[in-house]
Amino acid sequence: MFKTDYIMEMMKRFLGIALIAITGIVAASCNGHHEGEEILNTGAYVLNNGAWGENNATISRYDPTTKAVSPRAFQTANGAGLGDLGQDIITLGKKMFIAVNGSKTIFVTDRDLTILSTITATADGNQLSPRYLCSGGGK
């Protein structure tokens, strides 16, 4: 009897947390756009972290028009892998920014994942390992 009550309580907590997470995702996705701003709908991107030290992070892309999934879209676009420990990805206008923690790199790409530039941050002569990205004020 005790295990059943405990399991039910844990399920209620899980459902509550899941509901909060879904609400947050929906709220975050409802950001407005400015008049005249082009709305880009090029599909959904999934950053696959890869295994630590294995240099095998990837980005999968889902195309809603064809309903096809490209599991190694970054590698296909650039002829090279993403690197070690893909950590975060954001879009800003027509550009995407991809933080690759283990490789200590931020890739700037277009929406087709073609590399436009590579950013390597340093502080006191040491390379930094980017983790999380954010934008504000159009930057």
Side-chain angles (χ1 to χ4, degrees):
M1 192 78 149
F2 175 74
K3 282 186 177 182
T4 303
D5 293 338
Y6 177 76
I7 291 171
M8 291 301 291
E9 183 62 31
M10 295 310 294
M11 287 179 64
K12 286 180 187 176
R13 286 184 186 182
F14 174 78
L15 290 175
I17 292 169
L19 181 60
I20 290 169
I22 290 170
T23 302
I25 291 169
V26 170
S29 69
C30 293
N31 59 355
H33 66 280
H34 302 286
E35 187 174 329
E37 180 180 327
E38 182 181 1
I39 299 173
L40 301 170
N41 183 10
T42 57
Y45 301 88
V46 177
L47 177 59
N48 307 298
N49 185 260
W52 182 63
E54 296 296 320
N55 203 27
N56 62 355
T58 61
I59 296 177
S60 300
R61 180 175 178 269
Y62 171 73
D63 184 332
T65 305
T66 63
K67 302 202 180 339
V69 175
S70 303
R72 295 189 179 276
F74 183 90
Q75 185 172 358
T76 299
N78 299 292
L82 187 58
D84 188 21
L85 295 179
Q87 189 72 38
D88 200 5
I89 184 171
I90 63 170
T91 57
L92 185 62
K94 295 180 180 182
K95 294 181 180 177
M96 298 177 72
F97 297 82
I98 307 157
V100 187
N101 181 274
S103 295
K104 301 180 181 196
T105 304
I106 298 173
F107 290 107
V108 181
T109 70
D110 60 16
R111 292 289 185 113
D112 292 324
L113 297 172
T114 301
I115 297 173
L116 302 174
S117 63
T118 303
I119 300 169
T120 303
T122 59
D124 299 324
N126 297 315
Q127 255 187 311
L128 302 176
S129 299
R131 280 193 166 246
Y132 305 108
L133 304 170
C134 65
S135 66
K139 299 179 181 189

